[in-house]
Amino acid sequence: MSAPADSCSGDLIVLARRAGAESPEWDALRTHARACDECGVTWLTMQWFDGAGAVRPGDERLVGRAVEATLAKRRARAGSTRPRSRRPALAVAASLILAGAMASAGIALRRHWQPAPVGGSAGGTTSAGSSIGHRRIRVGPAPQTPPATPEPSAPARVPMTDPEPAPAPHLGPPPQTARKIAALSRDDVLPPAAPRARSRQADLFARATVARRDGRTVEAIALFRRLESETPQTPEAVVALVALGQLLGETGEVEAALATFDSYLRQSPTGPLVPEALAARAGMLARLGRATEARACREELERRFPGSPYGTRPKPSPGGNQR
Amino acid sequence: MLKVLHLRLARGNPPESPRPPLKDDLGAVLLRSRAGEARALRTLLTALGPAMLQVVRRVLGSRHPDVEDTFQEATLALVQALSTFRGECSARQFACRIATFTAISARRRHKVAGDVPLDDDDDEDRSPRGSETVPETDWVLAARRRELVRHLLDELPVPQAEALVLHSIVGLTVEELASATAVPVETARSRLRLARAALRVRITGDRAALELTEDLS
């Protein structure tokens, strides 16, 4: 098993576990993990979670349920995003017309067909509502037996009213209606709100980070510089100094990179990227031939961040190989 | 994003792809799933489900009552995110990242609501129960240590918590972590360093935890 390029980033243990290292190598790894803080924490965490959450009998059913539910939700969403058809509206219109026709028919036929007794029955007749359209027309004789569960005292259902009774006099629309109005004014009535704009610095930072990730170094540098000039002193601009310095160092602009790291350390003396900035600054100083300053910078890094992976302390690696 | 891509294509420059697409055994299925093929999507979810379930259990705790709901939420999130998958990491790593994020969010949600006990001794995970090679005390200690990490996950910034889980629990290398989370390698390394530093501080600052981690010394 070969050590990765940056063997103290914790990858060593990850790779060893993946490769199924032999026992002597594991012993060497254990030794290394005790000497290296970074690997030590990774080693412990991995050990603690070994075997946790393992596959159990019955998991295939659980996975199957989740898959089916997900597919069903996906189908439902796909269905709801289809363009609306006019058929439902036509159906509603047709049913209204039909209801009106039936109501008229009810008036006309009431003389001939016995209306159901008020109070209803299991055979299902009526509501004592005010709208004749809601009165069911019964065909055939009324049931002779009284209903098992009479409901004469049930309040008449009046259509088109709010089902929630207002407990107290209330000015303005009832709460439910108010919610509907609020929802309407939010989604339908008012013009669509403009998408929340990211701040200028966040936008520049994100674009620069993507460019850096994709290896478009020149573009990333340009964007980071714009960030520095357009929105100086913002958190994004301060953090970006480290990334900018690293990119400048990669492109050979060592002095500019050094100035950038100095700027970060000045603006954020206790920031989260101070170890990175100190390590990179030491590297830039060494490249410029300023060995004494580079050494002093490394010593500062060692002193302030003794467990840092950027320290100069030699770290043992498995099998006694030093990287 | 699409606009940028169209602009590049119009100029005749191919999109820059310094990270070549990985060879992935589920790559073909994933592409068909993205194209909307329901059968392929079912195959993909069935293949990735166990790994995602394991991540959810590890982050929430095996006996957490919301494991199944969170797992389902994660599979749905995976389906919704398929269109954003750029092929810079494997489908499994992508799925594990989504499961990690969903589970961390679920933990935080329940912690805020205070309606679900988060502590969990994971006793169902003692697979070789009563095994002679693994003493009972070690299982108990391991469960308590896991809770230590889980409590830390609730407090760390989400990107750091995510980095800690994906690297130290799921087992991604730093480079894979960077690919899966779509950030530069240096950023992934910094997040990991900060998370591990926080874990060290938590361990050394907590006497009980320090006793639990005697193997550090």
Side-chain angles (χ1 to χ4, degrees):
Chain A
M1 183 188 60
S2 61
D6 46 352
S7 57
C8 276
S9 64
D11 281 356
L12 199 59
I13 294 172
V14 172
L15 294 171
R17 289 164 65 95
R18 218 177 266 182
E22 297 294 327
S23 176
E25 289 173 309
W26 275 114
D27 290 342
L29 270 176
R30 193 189 294 270
T31 310
H32 172 70
R34 283 185 175 155
C36 171
D37 287 343
E38 295 288 311
C39 293
V41 172
T42 305
W43 170 261
L44 282 178
T45 316
M46 284 183 165
Q47 271 193 328
W48 296 347
F49 280 86
D50 260 353
V55 178
R56 299 177 191 158
D59 274 359
E60 66 279 1
R61 285 195 299 278
L62 200 156
V63 171
R65 278 199 301 274
V67 169
E68 292 308 322
T70 302
L71 292 174
K73 281 181 187 169
R74 183 170 169 268
R75 277 194 296 270
R77 286 190 181 187
S80 67
T81 54
R82 282 179 193 155
R84 283 183 184 179
S85 163
R86 291 187 178 181
R87 284 185 184 176
L90 288 174
V92 170
S95 61
L96 285 174
I97 293 167
L98 187 64
M102 287 178 71
S104 307
I107 293 169
L109 294 175
R110 199 161 44 164
R111 295 176 195 167
H112 306 289
W113 285 336
Q114 184 180 359
V118 174
S121 70
T125 47
T126 182
S127 63
S130 58
S131 166
I132 197 166
H134 280 257
R135 187 175 300 224
R136 289 190 188 175
I137 299 170
R138 185 181 181 83
V139 178
Q144 300 303 312
T145 53
T149 52
E151 44 182 4
S153 59
R157 298 190 69 187
V158 181
M160 304 303 290
T161 55
D162 198 318
E164 287 183 2
H170 177 70
L171 296 175
Q176 202 176 31
T177 312
R179 278 198 296 274
K180 284 178 187 168
I181 290 171
L184 270 177
S185 53
R186 194 170 55 244
D187 295 329
D188 298 337
V189 177
L190 294 179
R196 186 178 291 179
R198 267 197 304 197
S199 66
R200 177 76 180 146
Q201 62 266 25
D203 183 50
L204 279 173
F205 187 84
R207 286 168 55 197
T209 305
V210 169
R212 181 185 175 206
R213 185 197 66 196
D214 291 350
R216 289 177 275 129
T217 308
V218 176
E219 187 183 339
I221 289 175
L223 286 166
F224 277 132
R225 281 195 163 137
R226 268 179 69 189
L227 176 62
E228 300 302 329
S229 61
E230 291 179 17
T231 61
Q233 310 289 329
T234 55
E236 287 86 352
V238 174
V239 169
L241 285 168
V242 177
L244 177 59
Q246 286 169 340
L247 288 172
L248 289 170
E250 285 170 16
T251 54
E253 294 184 49
V254 182
E255 287 187 349
L258 181 62
T260 311
F261 291 125
D262 283 341
S263 177
Y264 174 79
L265 292 168
R266 222 176 15 254
Q267 291 185 45
S268 180
T270 56
L273 298 179
V274 168
E276 280 84 358
L278 283 174
R281 182 174 184 272
M284 296 302 129
L285 286 168
R287 284 169 69 180
L288 288 169
R290 293 155 65 177
T292 313
E293 289 173 75
R295 199 177 309 118
C297 189
R298 286 204 189 91
E299 283 170 3
E300 185 186 351
L301 176 65
E302 281 285 313
R303 193 182 67 253
R304 290 178 60 186
F305 304 97
S308 161
Y310 306 104
T312 53
R313 183 183 58 184
K315 294 180 164 114
S317 64
N321 295 329
Q322 292 291 325
R323 64 181 161 126
Chain B
M1 181 70 196
L2 279 174
K3 197 175 172 185
V4 172
L5 192 64
H6 285 310
L7 278 174
R8 279 189 195 146
L9 290 173
R11 285 182 205 148
N13 297 329
E16 295 171 30
S17 55
R19 289 179 189 168
L22 296 174
K23 284 186 180 175
D24 191 351
D25 53 343
L26 291 170
V29 183
L30 194 141
L31 286 178
R32 278 165 37 213
S33 306
R34 279 173 63 165
E37 199 178 311
R39 204 166 163 186
L41 183 59
R42 188 188 299 274
T43 307
L44 184 75
L45 292 179
T46 309
L48 296 175
M52 294 175 77
L53 179 59
Q54 188 174 29
V55 172
V56 169
R57 278 193 181 137
R58 284 182 168 184
V59 174
L60 286 186
S62 292
R63 295 172 65 200
H64 195 288
D66 280 349
V67 163
E68 186 168 350
D69 285 350
T70 307
F71 170 54
Q72 210 174 95
E73 197 181 326
T75 53
L76 189 61
L78 173 65
V79 172
Q80 287 166 351
L82 278 181
S83 60
T84 64
F85 181 61
R86 295 170 47 156
E88 289 176 341
C89 59
S90 72
R92 274 193 182 79
Q93 289 165 1
F94 186 65
C96 284
R97 192 227 171 167
I98 289 175
T100 301
F101 185 81
T102 311
I104 289 174
S105 304
R107 272 191 74 85
R108 291 176 185 224
R109 236 176 14 239
H110 291 303
K111 193 181 179 192
V112 170
D115 56 350
V116 175
L118 296 178
D119 289 341
D120 162 14
D121 63 1
D122 273 346
D123 63 0
E124 290 178 23
D125 290 327
R126 302 177 206 175
S127 42
R129 190 184 287 271
S131 159
E132 291 178 3
T133 55
V134 186
E136 186 77 2
T137 49
D138 282 7
W139 289 113
V140 176
L141 285 177
R144 287 182 59 188
R145 289 161 176 166
R146 283 196 289 274
E147 269 312 302
L148 177 83
V149 178
R150 287 180 189 134
H151 282 298
L152 182 70
L153 293 180
D154 295 340
E155 293 161 17
L156 282 176
V158 172
Q160 290 177 27
E162 192 180 43
L164 186 65
V165 171
L166 287 173
H167 180 73
S168 302
I169 298 177
V170 175
L172 303 191
T173 63
V174 175
E175 196 163 332
E176 288 166 348
L177 170 64
S179 299
T181 51
V183 295
V185 174
E186 289 80 8
T187 305
R189 188 167 287 139
S190 293
R191 287 176 181 175
L192 203 51
R193 179 179 62 75
L194 292 170
R196 286 193 291 223
L199 184 55
R200 265 206 309 275
V201 168
R202 174 60 62 92
I203 290 169
T204 51
D206 185 339
R207 193 172 169 186
L210 196 59
E211 287 169 5
L212 287 175
T213 55
E214 55 191 4
D215 36 353
L216 253 184
S217 56

